């Protein structure tokens, strides 16, 4: 089968990660959740308890090792050989990840790693800047969107499944909007739809429906 890069970008809670996983599995491609990498950097910085400055972030980046391993349900994220797949989803990481991701040095390091992991392979990669910066020549670019109501509801359900309580719908919606605003307005590689990306609004789609749409678009390219 032809090996292509499928870039899936979009704001928080638009369904990127879940659909990327399904599409990768159907195509037998590797799947890379780039958000997990920025989350791992954020966790490493939180653990160091150092101020949020470019200098300290450089020190953190230069001393850590982030690896991604395929697993039955997508991807295991490792920070210096420790499985941090759960720890990077904490509320605290959510709170700081956008600020950490705006740092130029952090982005350079992560983008290099992302290119190295996927170059020449069949890969579904999801993030904020995959179609614009990481792989501007990706064969298929998808930009997922959804209403803020739908996105907050999904995050609320996700938290409930994990037993995380205490955050209500309104708080979650506010956090998501803040992160979107920060991601869209940063200087380096802001969240933006690539000109040649196909936009899919997932507000009223099930996970199966949205994944099927992307899968069909991918097959069209792979088989031609
Ligand atoms: O799952 P969710 O959409 O909430 O977030 P994520 O994909 O895990 O990404 C977390 C954060 O990492 C985003 O809010 C961005 O600040 C940052 N990120 C980024 O800057 N570039 C990427 N390619 C992926 C994530």
């Amino acid at each position: 089968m032809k090996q292509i890069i499928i870039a899936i970008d979009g704001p928080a809670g638009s369904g990127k990660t879940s659909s990327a996983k399904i599409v990768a599995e159907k195509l037998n491609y590797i799947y890379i959740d780039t958000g997990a990498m920025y989350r791992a950097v954020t966790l490493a910085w939180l653990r160091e308890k150092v101020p949020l400055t470019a200098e300290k972030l450089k020190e953190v980046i230069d001393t850590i090792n982030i690896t991604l391993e395929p697993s039955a349900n997508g991807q295991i994220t490792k920070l210096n050989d420790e499985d941090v797949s759960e720890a990077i989803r904490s509320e605290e990481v959510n709170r700081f990840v956008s600020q950490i991701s705006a740092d130029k040095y952090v982005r350079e390091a992560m983008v290099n790693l992302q290119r190295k992991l996927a170059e020449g392979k069949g890969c579904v990669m999801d993030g904020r800047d995959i179609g614009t910066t990481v792989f501007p020549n990706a064969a298929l670019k998808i930009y997922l969107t959804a209403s803020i109501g739908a996105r907050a509801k999904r995050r609320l359900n996700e938290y409930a499944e994990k037993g995380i309580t205490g955050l209500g719908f309104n708080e979650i919606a506010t956090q998501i909007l803040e992160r979107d605003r920060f991601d869209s307005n940063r200087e380096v590689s802001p969240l933006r739809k690539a000109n040649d990306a196909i936009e899919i609004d997932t507000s009223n789609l099930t996970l199966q429906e949205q994944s099927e749409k992307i899968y069909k678009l991918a097959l069209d390219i792979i088989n031609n």
Side-chain angles (χ1 to χ4, degrees):
M1 194 192 277
K2 196 153 85 185
Q3 308 285 294
I4 63 165
I5 303 251
I6 302 171
I8 306 184
D9 291 303
S14 54
K16 301 178 302 287
T17 302
S18 354
S19 9
K21 263 186 222 171
I22 296 176
V23 174
E25 196 175 25
K26 284 181 134 184
L27 293 170
N28 205 12
Y29 273 18
I30 61 165
Y31 152 68
I32 296 174
D33 168 7
T34 63
M37 296 164 120
Y38 292 98
R39 286 172 176 276
V41 177
T42 306
L43 181 67
W45 168 79
L46 280 167
R47 285 178 173 178
E48 288 296 321
K49 302 196 188 315
V50 290
L52 210 176
T53 62
E55 198 188 347
K56 292 290 171 202
L57 282 178
K58 184 172 183 301
E59 276 173 32
V60 170
I61 284 284
D62 289 344
T63 49
I64 58 173
N65 189 24
I66 295 172
T67 46
L68 306 178
E69 290 172 11
S71 81
N73 49 16
Q75 172 187 289
I76 291 175
T77 308
K78 287 194 169 168
L79 174 63
N80 302 329
D81 282 333
E82 175 194 346
D83 182 349
V84 292
S85 312
E86 279 298 311
I88 58 170
R89 305 283 156 197
S90 74
E91 217 252 298
E92 207 180 9
V93 171
N94 277 346
R95 216 162 345 120
F96 287 101
V97 66
S98 280
Q99 290 174 67
I100 305 285
S101 311
D103 181 80
K104 195 165 167 271
Y105 193 79
V106 170
R107 299 209 72 81
E108 256 170 42
M110 292 306 107
V111 169
N112 284 340
L113 188 56
Q114 289 153 16
R115 289 188 179 138
K116 216 183 288 169
L117 290 171
E119 207 83 73
K121 300 198 180 96
C123 175
V124 186
M125 188 175 282
D126 89 80
R128 302 287 188 285
D129 60 339
I130 313 306
T132 51
T133 303
V134 185
F135 285 110
N137 295 324
L140 177 60
K141 298 182 189 178
I142 304 290
Y143 191 81
L144 292 186
T145 58
S147 66
I148 181 63
R151 296 192 283 133
K153 200 166 150 216
R154 286 175 193 160
R155 203 37 49 100
L156 191 65
N157 290 341
E158 209 177 287
Y159 282 156
E161 271 168 31
K162 287 185 193 157
I164 303 173
T165 52
L167 277 185
F169 177 88
N170 288 338
E171 271 167 304
I172 292 177
T174 306
Q175 273 188 6
I176 289 180
L177 286 175
E178 256 171 39
R179 196 138 60 87
D180 285 355
R181 195 172 50 82
F182 208 94
D183 291 344
S184 308
N185 290 304
R186 69 180 173 218
E187 222 167 280
V188 196
S189 304
L191 165 66
R192 190 158 296 160
K193 174 181 172 291
N195 291 335
D196 50 351
I198 298 168
E199 185 164 339
I200 303 175
D201 184 334
T202 69
S203 310
N204 298 310
L205 297 179
T206 64
L207 183 53
Q208 291 314 321
E209 286 167 342
Q210 70 197 44
S211 313
E212 194 63 22
K213 271 184 193 275
I214 303 172
Y215 176 62
K216 284 200 176 127
L217 288 166
L219 280 188
D220 273 353
I221 295 173
I222 290 167
N223 294 329
N224 280 306

